[in-house]
Amino acid sequence: MDRSDVGYVRLDDRSRGTLVRGGFHPRYLAPDTLLFVRGGALMSVGFDPETLQISGTPVQRVSSVLTNINSQVAFYETSSGPDLVYVQGTYEQPD
């Protein structure tokens, strides 16, 4: 599993928290989905942006997204509609 977590910071009171353990490169997909990468797979999970609460269990959407674990970058992007583009590739965890 990835050694990083997806978290948040509230700008008004500077409180912090963790949304997902073992993931990186998050993207909010309105109205109620959080995307992130775990082990080279694109995952989605229910998300309420008002309460900052995750609902349900993460589901794998794409199995082989090109990632650079050292820089915490995954090569995918979403649109304002239902479309998603990604670069297919392999995930390598450094020693």
Side-chain angles (χ1 to χ4, degrees):
M1 181 174 279
D2 296 313
R3 296 180 191 145
S4 56
D5 297 330
V6 175
Y8 69 87
V9 175
R10 288 189 182 268
L11 299 179
D12 57 354
D13 65 5
R14 297 186 185 165
S15 62
R16 298 172 183 253
T18 299
L19 297 171
V20 176
R21 298 226 177 259
F24 65 95
H25 202 93
R27 294 286 182 268
Y28 170 61
L29 187 60
D32 61 359
T33 302
L34 183 68
L35 300 173
F36 63 95
V37 172
R38 176 184 286 158
L42 181 64
M43 310 293 287
S44 69
V45 68
F47 177 64
D48 183 333
E50 295 297 318
T51 64
L52 298 174
Q53 295 294 310
I54 296 295
S55 62
T57 302
V59 175
Q60 180 177 304
R61 299 297 178 182
V62 177
S63 63
S64 55
V65 175
L66 182 63
T67 60
N68 181 323
I69 190 70
N70 292 325
S71 62
Q72 300 284 292
V73 172
F75 295 89
Y76 77 93
E77 195 56 70
T78 62
S79 69
S80 59
D83 301 316
L84 168 79
V85 294
Y86 68 98
V87 177
Q88 190 172 18
T90 57
Y91 166 86
E92 293 184 20
Q93 177 73 36
D95 294 332

